Amino acid sequence: MKKIPVKKAVIPAAGLGTRFLPATKAIPKEMLPIVDIPTVQYIVEEAVQSGIEEILIITNSNKHCMENHFDKNYELEARLLESGKQAEADLIDRIAGLANIYYVRQKEPKGLGHAILCAKSFIGNEPFAVLLGDDVVINEGGKPALKQLIDAYEKMGASVVGVQQVEESQVHKYGIVAPSIHQFAEESRLKKLYDMVEKPNLKDAPSNLAVLGRYVLKPEIFDYLETQGAGTGGEIQLTDAIKRLMYAQTVYSYDFEGHRYDVGDKFGFIQATLDFALSREDLHDSVASYVKELAATL
Ligand code: UTP
């Protein structure tokens, strides 16, 4: 059977962002800038670089600024051009042309699984990608994390969840997978899944491989999301629905390459800000000398 290419992506960005209050009272965490680019723009760019053509962002009533960010702003562009700021005008214009971006509201924050279910009619009967709105992955010089998963999907024709190892002290924060240790030994990043647990205690965790914000899913996932009851934290969990999908059809995990930042977490946000600033030519020297100065006082 011919495999349908992965051309659509869903970015759920309707969470409450409680870990980042009070900043997230009026500004969605996906719009908090890492240096000078909002988090969600990095994620949209990763999707585009991975071959995605249409993106659905799941929003809530507090997220108008995201729509404005990806729209044209003729007035601002005209003002920038009038004052000779061509480079800045081009920068603004480029954002509006990044991809075809659509929005749908999740009326209540009932969990990630519920947010993905809101994408059902947009996706139809195609495989699709999911990129969490607060997980930024940088794979300097290599394939974007999502592209690695799409390649694995194309090879296996089955859903793929992106994973990476986390410290034992962190397993209680994530969906943790149990991959088969026997299969695909020759390509160790890709493994068949046989269990998944959402936010387990360390003693119940089947491994330290955590699901980290990137998925390629077959549309059958919607059948399971539609009937999925609330799980951990009283929320409809995507992990629980993927686990049920896994009983009906093969699902793989892919240990993707790249540095992942949880920018919905204060420390993750600070790490991303420092690393991104240090990797920028215009900021590297001043930030590095400040960090050294600071380190000497600690
Ligand atoms: P998180 O659990 O990291 O987001 O969900 P949150 O609920 O906003 O975070 P805290 O714990 O309150 O700080 C992962 C992604 O799923 C989205 C979030 O916006 C985030 O990008 N999400 C979560 C939804 O879209 N809807 C939900 O009901 C829950």
Side-chain angles (χ1 to χ4, degrees):
M1 203 177 75
K2 201 169 166 286
K3 271 180 231 131
I4 306 172
V6 183
K7 293 290 169 202
K8 290 182 180 172
V10 181
I11 301 178
L16 293 177
T18 36
R19 285 171 296 159
F20 234 115
L21 282 167
T24 46
K25 185 179 174 203
I27 302 166
K29 64 178 167 182
E30 295 79 7
M31 283 302 289
L32 295 175
I34 306 174
V35 186
D36 50 8
I37 298 176
T39 301
V40 68
Q41 187 181 327
Y42 289 103
I43 293 165
V44 165
E45 299 215 27
E46 179 188 332
V48 172
Q49 284 159 14
S50 301
I52 297 296
E53 289 170 1
E54 305 210 293
I55 297 174
L56 181 71
I57 304 185
I58 312 293
T59 64
N60 63 24
S61 55
N62 195 14
K63 312 251 172 171
H64 295 295
C65 53
M66 241 182 311
E67 298 183 28
N68 292 339
H69 182 72
F70 290 109
D71 202 355
K72 284 284 277 182
N73 186 333
Y74 293 103
E75 200 186 321
L76 176 61
E77 270 180 54
R79 278 174 192 270
L80 288 168
L81 288 173
E82 268 166 34
S83 49
K85 296 192 168 149
Q86 182 73 47
E88 287 83 352
D90 292 347
L91 189 74
I92 304 296
D93 181 50
R94 180 184 159 272
I95 299 168
L98 274 177
N100 292 323
I101 305 184
Y102 308 86
Y103 304 87
V104 68
R105 280 191 186 183
Q106 182 188 19
K107 293 188 180 66
E108 281 177 80
K110 290 190 191 167
L112 176 59
H114 181 257
I116 302 300
L117 183 57
C118 298
K120 185 175 185 245
S121 47
F122 172 80
I123 297 297
N125 199 24
E126 294 179 30
F128 65 102
V130 175
L131 303 96
L132 293 198
D134 55 357
D135 269 333
V136 174
V137 185
I138 300 297
N139 190 25
E140 209 55 63
K143 272 190 215 170
L146 181 63
K147 179 73 175 113
Q148 298 172 47
L149 264 62
I150 290 175
D151 289 350
Y153 164 81
E154 280 171 358
K155 184 170 173 188
M156 307 314 295
S159 299
V160 183
V161 300
V163 297
Q164 278 190 339
Q165 291 198 12
V166 294
E167 307 233 334
E168 288 192 342
S169 62
Q170 303 293 304
V171 297
H172 68 281
K173 294 184 179 170
Y174 299 100
I176 299 292
V177 303
S180 156
I181 49 170
H182 303 298
Q183 291 205 325
F184 306 106
E186 78 286 358
E187 195 184 338
S188 60
R189 290 185 176 275
L190 181 66
K191 303 253 172 68
K192 187 173 166 181
L193 271 192
Y194 67 86
D195 200 9
M196 280 180 103
V197 193
E198 184 62 29
K199 300 190 172 78
N201 293 320
L202 183 57
K203 66 175 175 38
D204 303 322
S207 74
N208 66 343
L209 281 171
V211 179
L212 294 182
R214 298 290 180 274
Y215 312 74
V216 173
L217 298 170
K218 294 190 78 171
E220 292 82 5
I221 190 69
F222 293 116
D223 300 342
Y224 298 95
L225 285 171
E226 271 176 332
T227 54
Q228 188 61 55
T232 309
E235 294 190 338
I236 297 174
Q237 299 288 356
L238 179 60
T239 307
D240 294 338
I242 296 176
K243 187 168 168 171
R244 288 166 62 216
L245 176 72
M246 190 185 76
Y247 294 137
Q249 49 178 253
T250 308
V251 176
Y252 292 90
S253 67
Y254 190 86
D255 184 357
F256 61 83
E257 276 179 48
H259 191 130
R260 171 255 182 190
Y261 299 88
D262 177 6
V263 292
D265 169 76
K266 287 190 255 296
F267 183 54
F269 182 79
I270 293 166
Q271 285 176 307
T273 302
L274 272 177
D275 285 358
F276 283 44
L278 285 168
S279 72
R280 289 241 314 231
E281 242 173 63
D282 58 336
L283 290 169
H284 177 274
D285 292 355
S286 48
V287 176
S289 82
Y290 178 64
V291 169
K292 282 182 201 154
E293 211 178 282
L294 196 63
T297 68
L298 298 175

